[in-house]
Amino acid sequence: MEIKELLSQKLKEKFPETEFEFSEFRGELTVKFPKEIVLEVCKLLKTDNELEFLQCTDVTAVDWATRKNRFTVVYQIYSFKNNFRLRLKADVDEKDCSIDSVTSVWKGANWQERETYDMYGIKFNGHPDLRRMYMPEEFEYYPLRKDFPLMGIPGSIPLPKK
Amino acid sequence: MDKEVRDSRDIRDGVHPKIIQALLDADTDLVVEDALENEMILNMGPQHPATHGVLRLVLRLDGETVIACVPELGYLHRGYEKLAENMTYFEFIPHTDRLDYISPMANNVAWVLAVEKLAGIEAPPRAQYIRMMVAELARIASHLVAIGAFAMDVGALTIFLWTLREREKILDIWDMLCGARFTNSYARIGGVANDIPPEALAKAKWFIDQFDENLTECEKLVNTNRIFIDRLDGIGVLSKEDAIDLGFTGPNLRASGVEHDLRVAQPYLEYNEVDFKIPTFTEGDSLARYFVRLDEMRESAKIVRQVIEKMPEGDVLLNEPKKVLPHKTEIYTKMEELIHDFMIVNFGINPPEGEVYHAIEGSKGELGFYFVSKGEGHPWKCKIRSPSFNNLQALPKLVVGNMISDVVAIIGSIDPIMGEADK
């Protein structure tokens, strides 16, 4: 696959010390890397003349519940030029539950990151407006974490004051 | 005012001097440095009729001009992603109806295509063609509501009634097809629920034949209407670069001059077998977004016509007993099918470990599902990438600098469905 080689070549050039994990499933390419370089990787992918991943389709996270690195932040990005969809992944540990925000690269990541913060409690450093997306501000839990019960927690959403 | 003048006026008005004095002493000064620099916070929604559901906007106004806008979402958040993690892939199909409730058929198709990609199966050709037909009819149904409600928001009521009359015919086709008009749940993993009855096919053919004329009639109501044009032309302009950057997809993106359509870019179903154009406008304003939808309906009608012509004969359900729920009549008569039905309903289809993202070109834009499977019957993680959510993100940029009455027009033009935006 041509774009895959181009991608790995470009990434190796820019980050010689970092190890990138490429994987493919059902024809979809995934790149995994340490969370510290997420901002630089995204900048490279967007601004590179041959890659031009101009749109951030989606940002979300996966809660693995029992793994050492509990969360994985997942980005789906799309290149109009190459008509190619790429998935980026970076592990986030529960102890240091934060990752750099990519809103400065793609403005469209703004609400997606807010939603991920709302649902998983992962903080996005440098996000311009990190508030909860769906749940009320005073809500204390993160509903999509695996330890949050499906039926909810009684009394966790207080009634509005009269 | 000097004392003599005041006294003379007191006497003339016949008011007690003490009252006059009290009024003069009271601090009644109203300091207005600049009358035009008064800002006001206005809360629009979630019960505002023009916000298409429960969208809430907090606007900062300077007179009638919007200087800041903060959308608040979550009034219809039902936690579908959490629910999906706790049910099998089959069980979630009816829930997809409630995402974009204006075009439920397309959501069903998007869900089953994503699951099929994960499970590594593909529906038989006839089922693919039927899915294409219902997805395109769903697009027409959705755009009819979009432009009707949009025109109603800016004051043209008649077109809404006329477009809903057309939409009603599509709902009738769906009624014949699966017995439900609104929440269809028609698509199945590995095919569709039942073969398309001949009368539904005939009705679809009839609908496509008369649709163009009726749509032209609807257009005539507003396309030359000076008030309608003036209220939309040049309002809410979004440039090509911003549209891509902010995550616009679908008709809204195409109105900003990006000729991108997932049906062509990454063909799914049998879209590479049919011939259609991608309507694209370069203006990027509300009027362009209206025209894109009009043209898209014509193209969809063209696709439906070709699909009906090309539809092959054959099965509508894949013969893959471990993955596909058998038809009810077979469950009642055959032992093997009964066992498979029991296993699939209780334990799910257990797709292999892995993750997929599959998106279709829904009526609002890119509707995608991202699954992480651990080889169990239910997804470990399900993310709904809803177009309305991403399109709404551009709203603050679009409305700032416009008048408050334009806010209504802009919301209508980007056509958000809150069931989908809030999940």
Short mmCIF file of all heavy atoms in Angstrom, two decimals, chain A residues 72-116:
data_model
loop_
_atom_site.label_atom_id
_atom_site.label_comp_id
_atom_site.label_asym_id
_atom_site.label_seq_id
_atom_site.Cartn_x
_atom_site.Cartn_y
_atom_site.Cartn_z
N THR A 72 -7.50 4.53 25.77
CA THR A 72 -6.86 4.82 24.49
C THR A 72 -7.67 5.91 23.82
O THR A 72 -8.89 5.76 23.64
CB THR A 72 -6.85 3.56 23.59
OG1 THR A 72 -6.17 2.52 24.29
CG2 THR A 72 -6.11 3.84 22.30
N VAL A 73 -7.01 7.00 23.49
CA VAL A 73 -7.71 8.06 22.75
C VAL A 73 -7.57 7.74 21.27
O VAL A 73 -6.49 7.41 20.79
CB VAL A 73 -7.13 9.44 23.09
CG1 VAL A 73 -7.85 10.52 22.31
CG2 VAL A 73 -7.26 9.70 24.57
N VAL A 74 -8.69 7.82 20.56
CA VAL A 74 -8.73 7.41 19.15
C VAL A 74 -9.15 8.59 18.29
O VAL A 74 -10.15 9.25 18.59
CB VAL A 74 -9.72 6.24 18.95
CG1 VAL A 74 -9.67 5.74 17.52
CG2 VAL A 74 -9.45 5.11 19.91
N TYR A 75 -8.39 8.86 17.27
CA TYR A 75 -8.73 9.93 16.32
C TYR A 75 -8.96 9.29 14.96
O TYR A 75 -8.19 8.45 14.54
CB TYR A 75 -7.57 10.93 16.17
CG TYR A 75 -7.09 11.55 17.45
CD1 TYR A 75 -6.17 10.90 18.25
CD2 TYR A 75 -7.55 12.79 17.86
CE1 TYR A 75 -5.73 11.46 19.43
CE2 TYR A 75 -7.11 13.37 19.04
CZ TYR A 75 -6.20 12.70 19.82
OH TYR A 75 -5.76 13.25 20.99
N GLN A 76 -10.04 9.69 14.30
CA GLN A 76 -10.24 9.29 12.90
C GLN A 76 -9.98 10.53 12.07
O GLN A 76 -10.65 11.54 12.25
CB GLN A 76 -11.68 8.84 12.64
CG GLN A 76 -12.30 8.03 13.73
CD GLN A 76 -12.02 6.56 13.61
OE1 GLN A 76 -11.38 6.13 12.66
NE2 GLN A 76 -12.46 5.79 14.56
N ILE A 77 -9.01 10.47 11.18
CA ILE A 77 -8.75 11.64 10.35
C ILE A 77 -8.86 11.26 8.89
O ILE A 77 -8.71 10.09 8.52
CB ILE A 77 -7.39 12.29 10.65
CG1 ILE A 77 -6.26 11.28 10.51
CG2 ILE A 77 -7.41 12.90 12.04
CD1 ILE A 77 -4.91 11.90 10.69
N TYR A 78 -9.14 12.24 8.08
CA TYR A 78 -9.43 11.97 6.67
C TYR A 78 -8.65 12.92 5.77
O TYR A 78 -8.54 14.11 6.07
CB TYR A 78 -10.93 12.13 6.42
CG TYR A 78 -11.34 11.81 5.02
CD1 TYR A 78 -11.32 10.50 4.56
CD2 TYR A 78 -11.72 12.81 4.14
CE1 TYR A 78 -11.67 10.20 3.27
CE2 TYR A 78 -12.07 12.51 2.83
CZ TYR A 78 -12.05 11.19 2.40
OH TYR A 78 -12.39 10.89 1.12
N SER A 79 -8.09 12.37 4.72
CA SER A 79 -7.37 13.17 3.74
C SER A 79 -8.19 13.23 2.46
O SER A 79 -8.43 12.21 1.83
CB SER A 79 -6.01 12.55 3.47
OG SER A 79 -5.48 13.04 2.27
N PHE A 80 -8.61 14.44 2.10
CA PHE A 80 -9.38 14.61 0.86
C PHE A 80 -8.49 14.35 -0.36
O PHE A 80 -8.94 13.83 -1.36
CB PHE A 80 -9.96 16.03 0.78
CG PHE A 80 -11.09 16.25 1.73
CD1 PHE A 80 -10.86 16.70 3.01
CD2 PHE A 80 -12.39 16.00 1.33
CE1 PHE A 80 -11.91 16.89 3.89
CE2 PHE A 80 -13.44 16.20 2.21
CZ PHE A 80 -13.19 16.64 3.49
N LYS A 81 -7.23 14.74 -0.21
CA LYS A 81 -6.32 14.63 -1.35
C LYS A 81 -6.10 13.16 -1.73
O LYS A 81 -6.17 12.80 -2.90
CB LYS A 81 -4.99 15.28 -0.96
CG LYS A 81 -4.05 15.44 -2.12
CD LYS A 81 -2.80 16.15 -1.66
CE LYS A 81 -1.84 16.31 -2.80
NZ LYS A 81 -0.62 16.99 -2.36
N ASN A 82 -5.84 12.33 -0.73
CA ASN A 82 -5.57 10.92 -1.01
C ASN A 82 -6.79 10.04 -0.89
O ASN A 82 -6.71 8.84 -1.11
CB ASN A 82 -4.50 10.40 -0.05
CG ASN A 82 -3.22 11.16 -0.18
OD1 ASN A 82 -2.73 11.37 -1.27
ND2 ASN A 82 -2.69 11.62 0.92
N ASN A 83 -7.93 10.65 -0.49
CA ASN A 83 -9.13 9.89 -0.20
C ASN A 83 -8.80 8.72 0.73
O ASN A 83 -9.05 7.56 0.43
CB ASN A 83 -9.76 9.39 -1.50
CG ASN A 83 -11.07 8.68 -1.28
OD1 ASN A 83 -11.69 8.87 -0.24
ND2 ASN A 83 -11.48 7.87 -2.22
N PHE A 84 -8.21 9.06 1.84
CA PHE A 84 -7.73 8.03 2.75
C PHE A 84 -8.12 8.36 4.19
O PHE A 84 -8.02 9.49 4.64
CB PHE A 84 -6.20 7.93 2.66
CG PHE A 84 -5.62 6.74 3.36
CD1 PHE A 84 -5.71 5.48 2.80
CD2 PHE A 84 -5.01 6.89 4.59
CE1 PHE A 84 -5.18 4.38 3.45
CE2 PHE A 84 -4.49 5.79 5.26
CZ PHE A 84 -4.58 4.54 4.68
N ARG A 85 -8.56 7.33 4.89
CA ARG A 85 -8.95 7.49 6.29
C ARG A 85 -7.90 6.81 7.18
O ARG A 85 -7.49 5.69 6.90
CB ARG A 85 -10.31 6.86 6.53
CG ARG A 85 -11.08 7.47 7.64
CD ARG A 85 -12.33 6.70 7.89
NE ARG A 85 -13.36 6.95 6.88
CZ ARG A 85 -14.04 8.09 6.78
NH1 ARG A 85 -13.79 9.07 7.60
NH2 ARG A 85 -14.96 8.23 5.87
N LEU A 86 -7.49 7.51 8.19
CA LEU A 86 -6.45 6.99 9.07
C LEU A 86 -6.93 7.06 10.51
O LEU A 86 -7.65 7.99 10.89
CB LEU A 86 -5.17 7.82 8.90
CG LEU A 86 -3.97 7.42 9.75
CD1 LEU A 86 -3.41 6.09 9.31
CD2 LEU A 86 -2.89 8.48 9.65
N ARG A 87 -6.54 6.08 11.28
CA ARG A 87 -6.91 6.09 12.69
C ARG A 87 -5.66 6.26 13.52
O ARG A 87 -4.67 5.54 13.32
CB ARG A 87 -7.63 4.79 13.04
CG ARG A 87 -8.25 4.81 14.42
CD ARG A 87 -8.95 3.52 14.74
NE ARG A 87 -9.99 3.20 13.77
CZ ARG A 87 -10.07 2.04 13.13
NH1 ARG A 87 -9.20 1.10 13.36
NH2 ARG A 87 -11.02 1.83 12.25
N LEU A 88 -5.67 7.23 14.42
CA LEU A 88 -4.54 7.45 15.31
C LEU A 88 -4.94 7.01 16.71
O LEU A 88 -6.06 7.25 17.14
CB LEU A 88 -4.15 8.93 15.35
CG LEU A 88 -3.94 9.63 14.02
CD1 LEU A 88 -3.65 11.09 14.27
CD2 LEU A 88 -2.79 9.01 13.26
N LYS A 89 -3.99 6.39 17.41
CA LYS A 89 -4.31 5.94 18.77
C LYS A 89 -3.16 6.30 19.71
O LYS A 89 -1.99 6.23 19.33
CB LYS A 89 -4.52 4.43 18.79
CG LYS A 89 -5.86 4.03 18.23
CD LYS A 89 -5.90 2.57 17.93
CE LYS A 89 -6.25 1.74 19.14
NZ LYS A 89 -6.37 0.33 18.78
N ALA A 90 -3.53 6.70 20.91
CA ALA A 90 -2.52 6.99 21.92
C ALA A 90 -3.06 6.53 23.27
O ALA A 90 -4.20 6.83 23.61
CB ALA A 90 -2.20 8.48 21.95
N ASP A 91 -2.23 5.80 23.99
CA ASP A 91 -2.66 5.31 25.30
C ASP A 91 -2.57 6.40 26.35
O ASP A 91 -1.63 7.20 26.36
CB ASP A 91 -1.78 4.13 25.72
CG ASP A 91 -2.26 2.84 25.10
OD1 ASP A 91 -3.40 2.82 24.60
OD2 ASP A 91 -1.50 1.86 25.10
N VAL A 92 -3.54 6.38 27.27
CA VAL A 92 -3.54 7.34 28.37
C VAL A 92 -3.75 6.56 29.65
O VAL A 92 -4.64 5.71 29.72
CB VAL A 92 -4.68 8.38 28.20
CG1 VAL A 92 -4.77 9.28 29.39
CG2 VAL A 92 -4.47 9.20 26.94
N ASP A 93 -2.91 6.83 30.63
CA ASP A 93 -3.04 6.11 31.89
C ASP A 93 -4.03 6.81 32.80
O ASP A 93 -4.27 8.02 32.68
CB ASP A 93 -1.67 6.01 32.57
CG ASP A 93 -1.70 5.01 33.70
OD1 ASP A 93 -2.41 4.00 33.55
OD2 ASP A 93 -1.04 5.24 34.72
N GLU A 94 -4.60 6.04 33.73
CA GLU A 94 -5.60 6.64 34.61
C GLU A 94 -4.97 7.64 35.58
O GLU A 94 -5.60 8.60 35.99
CB GLU A 94 -6.33 5.53 35.37
CG GLU A 94 -7.68 5.97 35.87
CD GLU A 94 -8.37 4.91 36.69
OE1 GLU A 94 -7.82 3.80 36.82
OE2 GLU A 94 -9.45 5.20 37.22
N LYS A 95 -3.73 7.38 35.98
CA LYS A 95 -3.08 8.26 36.96
C LYS A 95 -2.83 9.66 36.40
O LYS A 95 -3.06 10.66 37.05
CB LYS A 95 -1.75 7.64 37.41
CG LYS A 95 -1.97 6.50 38.39
CD LYS A 95 -0.65 6.06 39.01
CE LYS A 95 -0.81 4.70 39.67
NZ LYS A 95 -0.26 3.61 38.83
N ASP A 96 -2.34 9.69 35.16
CA ASP A 96 -2.12 10.97 34.51
C ASP A 96 -3.10 11.05 33.35
O ASP A 96 -2.76 10.83 32.20
CB ASP A 96 -0.67 11.08 34.01
CG ASP A 96 -0.45 12.36 33.23
OD1 ASP A 96 -1.18 13.32 33.48
OD2 ASP A 96 0.43 12.37 32.36
N CYS A 97 -4.35 11.33 33.69
CA CYS A 97 -5.43 11.18 32.73
C CYS A 97 -5.53 12.43 31.85
O CYS A 97 -6.50 13.18 31.93
CB CYS A 97 -6.73 10.92 33.47
SG CYS A 97 -7.88 10.00 32.50
N SER A 98 -4.51 12.67 31.06
CA SER A 98 -4.57 13.85 30.21
C SER A 98 -3.76 13.61 28.95
O SER A 98 -2.87 12.77 28.90
CB SER A 98 -4.02 15.07 30.94
OG SER A 98 -2.65 14.91 31.17
N ILE A 99 -4.09 14.37 27.93
CA ILE A 99 -3.40 14.29 26.64
C ILE A 99 -3.48 15.68 26.02
O ILE A 99 -4.38 16.46 26.35
CB ILE A 99 -4.06 13.21 25.74
CG1 ILE A 99 -3.24 12.95 24.48
CG2 ILE A 99 -5.47 13.58 25.37
CD1 ILE A 99 -3.65 11.70 23.72
N ASP A 100 -2.55 16.00 25.14
CA ASP A 100 -2.58 17.32 24.51
C ASP A 100 -3.78 17.44 23.57
O ASP A 100 -4.12 16.51 22.85
CB ASP A 100 -1.29 17.56 23.71
CG ASP A 100 -0.12 17.82 24.62
OD1 ASP A 100 -0.37 18.20 25.78
OD2 ASP A 100 1.03 17.64 24.20
N SER A 101 -4.37 18.62 23.58
CA SER A 101 -5.51 18.86 22.70
C SER A 101 -5.03 19.12 21.29
O SER A 101 -3.99 19.74 21.07
CB SER A 101 -6.28 20.06 23.21
OG SER A 101 -7.15 20.53 22.22
N VAL A 102 -5.78 18.64 20.30
CA VAL A 102 -5.42 18.90 18.91
C VAL A 102 -6.34 19.95 18.28
O VAL A 102 -6.39 20.11 17.07
CB VAL A 102 -5.43 17.61 18.05
CG1 VAL A 102 -4.37 16.65 18.51
CG2 VAL A 102 -6.78 16.96 18.04
N THR A 103 -7.06 20.68 19.15
CA THR A 103 -7.97 21.71 18.63
C THR A 103 -7.21 22.78 17.85
O THR A 103 -7.74 23.37 16.92
CB THR A 103 -8.74 22.34 19.79
OG1 THR A 103 -9.33 21.29 20.54
CG2 THR A 103 -9.83 23.25 19.31
N SER A 104 -5.94 23.01 18.23
CA SER A 104 -5.17 24.01 17.49
C SER A 104 -4.85 23.54 16.08
O SER A 104 -4.56 24.35 15.21
CB SER A 104 -3.89 24.34 18.25
OG SER A 104 -3.17 23.15 18.50
N VAL A 105 -4.89 22.23 15.87
CA VAL A 105 -4.62 21.70 14.52
C VAL A 105 -5.92 21.64 13.72
O VAL A 105 -6.01 22.17 12.62
CB VAL A 105 -3.98 20.30 14.61
CG1 VAL A 105 -3.62 19.81 13.23
CG2 VAL A 105 -2.75 20.32 15.49
N TRP A 106 -6.91 20.95 14.28
CA TRP A 106 -8.22 20.88 13.63
C TRP A 106 -9.23 21.52 14.56
O TRP A 106 -9.45 21.03 15.67
CB TRP A 106 -8.62 19.43 13.40
CG TRP A 106 -7.74 18.66 12.49
CD1 TRP A 106 -7.62 18.82 11.14
CD2 TRP A 106 -6.88 17.55 12.84
NE1 TRP A 106 -6.73 17.90 10.64
CE2 TRP A 106 -6.27 17.12 11.64
CE3 TRP A 106 -6.57 16.91 14.02
CZ2 TRP A 106 -5.37 16.06 11.61
CZ3 TRP A 106 -5.68 15.86 13.99
CH2 TRP A 106 -5.09 15.45 12.80
N LYS A 107 -9.88 22.58 14.09
CA LYS A 107 -10.88 23.23 14.93
C LYS A 107 -12.04 22.28 15.22
O LYS A 107 -12.71 22.37 16.24
CB LYS A 107 -11.41 24.48 14.23
CG LYS A 107 -10.56 25.70 14.48
CD LYS A 107 -11.21 26.92 13.83
CE LYS A 107 -10.22 27.64 12.95
NZ LYS A 107 -10.86 28.30 11.81
N GLY A 108 -12.29 21.38 14.29
CA GLY A 108 -13.40 20.45 14.45
C GLY A 108 -13.24 19.48 15.60
O GLY A 108 -14.19 18.82 16.01
N ALA A 109 -12.01 19.38 16.13
CA ALA A 109 -11.79 18.47 17.25
C ALA A 109 -12.31 19.04 18.56
O ALA A 109 -12.39 18.33 19.57
CB ALA A 109 -10.31 18.15 17.38
N ASN A 110 -12.67 20.31 18.55
CA ASN A 110 -13.08 21.00 19.78
C ASN A 110 -14.20 20.27 20.52
O ASN A 110 -14.01 19.82 21.65
CB ASN A 110 -13.51 22.41 19.39
CG ASN A 110 -13.82 23.28 20.57
OD1 ASN A 110 -14.23 22.77 21.62
ND2 ASN A 110 -13.63 24.56 20.44
N TRP A 111 -15.32 20.11 19.88
CA TRP A 111 -16.46 19.48 20.57
C TRP A 111 -16.22 18.00 20.80
O TRP A 111 -16.68 17.42 21.77
CB TRP A 111 -17.73 19.68 19.74
CG TRP A 111 -18.35 21.03 19.91
CD1 TRP A 111 -17.71 22.15 20.37
CD2 TRP A 111 -19.69 21.39 19.62
NE1 TRP A 111 -18.59 23.19 20.36
CE2 TRP A 111 -19.80 22.76 19.92
CE3 TRP A 111 -20.80 20.71 19.13
CZ2 TRP A 111 -21.00 23.46 19.74
CZ3 TRP A 111 -21.98 21.40 18.96
CH2 TRP A 111 -22.08 22.77 19.27
N GLN A 112 -15.51 17.38 19.87
CA GLN A 112 -15.24 15.96 20.04
C GLN A 112 -14.44 15.71 21.31
O GLN A 112 -14.68 14.76 22.05
CB GLN A 112 -14.45 15.45 18.83
CG GLN A 112 -15.09 15.74 17.50
CD GLN A 112 -16.16 14.75 17.14
OE1 GLN A 112 -16.49 13.88 17.95
NE2 GLN A 112 -16.71 14.86 15.97
N GLU A 113 -13.46 16.59 21.54
CA GLU A 113 -12.65 16.42 22.74
C GLU A 113 -13.46 16.74 23.99
O GLU A 113 -13.30 16.08 25.02
CB GLU A 113 -11.42 17.33 22.65
CG GLU A 113 -10.44 16.83 21.63
CD GLU A 113 -9.17 17.64 21.56
OE1 GLU A 113 -9.14 18.79 22.01
OE2 GLU A 113 -8.18 17.12 21.05
N ARG A 114 -14.34 17.73 23.86
CA ARG A 114 -15.20 18.03 25.01
C ARG A 114 -16.08 16.83 25.34
O ARG A 114 -16.29 16.50 26.51
CB ARG A 114 -16.10 19.23 24.69
CG ARG A 114 -15.47 20.55 24.99
CD ARG A 114 -16.40 21.67 24.62
NE ARG A 114 -17.62 21.66 25.41
CZ ARG A 114 -18.67 22.43 25.15
NH1 ARG A 114 -18.64 23.26 24.13
NH2 ARG A 114 -19.74 22.39 25.91
N GLU A 115 -16.57 16.18 24.29
CA GLU A 115 -17.42 15.00 24.51
C GLU A 115 -16.62 13.88 25.17
O GLU A 115 -17.10 13.21 26.09
CB GLU A 115 -18.00 14.55 23.17
CG GLU A 115 -19.08 13.50 23.33
CD GLU A 115 -19.37 12.77 22.05
OE1 GLU A 115 -18.95 13.24 20.98
OE2 GLU A 115 -19.99 11.71 22.14
N THR A 116 -15.39 13.69 24.70
CA THR A 116 -14.56 12.64 25.28
C THR A 116 -14.25 12.94 26.75
O THR A 116 -14.27 12.05 27.60
CB THR A 116 -13.26 12.52 24.48
OG1 THR A 116 -13.59 12.42 23.09
CG2 THR A 116 -12.46 11.30 24.88
#
